[in-house]
Amino acid sequence: MQRDSIPDHVPSALVRDFSLFTSPGMAPTANGDPHAAVARVHGKPRIFYSPFNTRDGRGTWVITRARDQRKVLEDLDTFSSHRSIFSSALGENWPMIPLELDPPAHGIFRALLNPLFSSGRVMALERTVRKQARALIDRIARMRTSCDVMKDFAIPFTVDVYLGLMGLSNSRSKILIRWVSDLLHGNGVKRTEAAQSIVKFIDEVAAMRRKQPAADFMTFVVRAQVEGRSLTNEEVRGIGVLFLIAG
């Protein structure tokens, strides 16, 4: 590690060579144990600095104890949620909404979106979701007598539900799975390419729903208003990207 990559205000005694992606036990592996891997940091100081973990090279403070993490999360005056985790892959600085918004904007957008995920709305989806699950199970049964539950059912099922909420057919399922996989697990080049593809997809769906509204998530977003105004294109994108990645 190079000392010139560490800010002057960081004490040398609190610097550790730790990477969320490449340190021992942290790299994704089949049947891995992420909790055991993360627990490796508990033998270090409660708070230490790592010059890794971010695309912009600024490094991060690593908070290893729950009580300290709670203090950070509740100290809204000192710490911001806006880190542009996704948009920084594009060299941009817009937030995923509402995840990367600080109060009071966070509360305003949460209040806007919460009704979309109320228990009543979710229960109303049950018949459609069950139909999607049965279709996947029937397809697996026709093809083989066993399956990889994650690859053959769980992942495509999740993406099909997402596409249904967006009012789209499941013909895009495989490409969305690839984009999100590259975004979360690919190298720098693949992450950037995936981010570009996801943004293009969200922008295209938003543009389509402005012209051809339907009873779906994106139509609600492009028609929504906060504080008496319509959402900006960047705000629509920030909501759409978070909905895709989280979903």
Side-chain angles (χ1 to χ4, degrees):
M1 120 181 39
Q2 295 182 352
R3 179 68 224 185
D4 59 8
S5 67
I6 302 168
D8 293 338
H9 69 273
V10 177
S12 298
L14 292 182
V15 178
R16 293 292 185 275
D17 186 2
F18 171 78
S19 169
L20 181 64
F21 306 103
T22 60
S23 287
M26 300 300 291
T29 57
N31 301 314
D33 187 347
H35 300 291
V38 172
R40 291 169 179 267
V41 304
H42 288 168
K44 302 179 186 296
R46 287 168 49 196
I47 300 173
F48 64 90
Y49 185 86
S50 167
F52 308 105
N53 301 326
T54 59
R55 295 188 184 94
D56 55 20
R58 289 183 295 173
T60 57
W61 286 99
V62 180
I63 316 297
T64 68
R65 299 296 188 269
R67 62 182 180 274
D68 298 322
Q69 293 166 359
R70 185 173 295 278
K71 288 180 180 179
V72 168
L73 292 171
E74 294 179 345
D75 186 352
L76 305 179
D77 294 328
T78 305
F79 300 98
S80 173
S81 295
H82 187 174
R83 286 303 304 270
S84 304
I85 295 171
F86 179 93
S87 60
S88 63
L90 303 171
E92 299 173 0
N93 191 40
W94 44 268
M96 291 187 290
I97 297 175
L99 179 66
E100 294 184 318
L101 292 180
D102 294 321
H106 178 87
I108 293 171
F109 277 89
R110 278 293 298 269
L112 171 71
L113 297 171
N114 276 347
L116 291 174
F117 305 101
S118 66
S119 58
R121 287 203 177 222
V122 172
M123 291 301 295
L125 297 172
E126 182 177 1
R127 176 180 292 184
T128 299
V129 170
R130 284 183 178 274
K131 182 178 179 180
Q132 290 170 313
R134 285 196 296 267
L136 276 171
I137 293 170
D138 290 345
R139 187 176 69 185
I140 293 170
R142 289 195 301 269
M143 296 173 62
R144 60 180 76 93
T145 57
S146 64
C147 73
D148 180 318
V149 173
M150 289 300 296
K151 178 181 178 182
D152 296 329
F153 179 79
I155 294 175
F157 174 62
T158 303
V159 176
D160 286 353
V161 171
Y162 164 81
L163 287 168
L165 292 172
M166 295 287 278
L168 302 173
S169 73
N170 61 8
S171 62
R172 303 189 190 218
S173 180
K174 289 184 179 180
I175 188 66
L176 284 178
I177 292 171
R178 194 190 80 195
W179 290 344
V180 174
S181 178
D182 287 347
L183 182 72
L184 299 179
H185 306 298
N187 57 30
V189 173
K190 284 189 174 182
R191 284 199 298 270
T192 297
E193 290 176 348
Q196 292 170 336
S197 297
I198 289 171
V199 165
K200 182 180 178 182
F201 169 74
I202 294 298
D203 288 350
E204 287 176 349
V205 174
M208 178 178 68
R209 288 304 179 225
R210 288 188 180 98
K211 295 179 180 179
Q212 302 172 4
D216 59 30
F217 176 85
M218 189 56 80
T219 299
F220 174 88
V221 173
V222 299
R223 287 182 162 184
Q225 290 195 340
V226 291
E227 299 183 317
R229 65 168 179 83
S230 299
L231 273 59
T232 66
N233 291 338
E234 196 171 84
E235 288 168 339
V236 170
R237 180 184 301 157
I239 292 172
V241 166
L242 179 61
F243 184 56
L244 188 156
I245 296 173

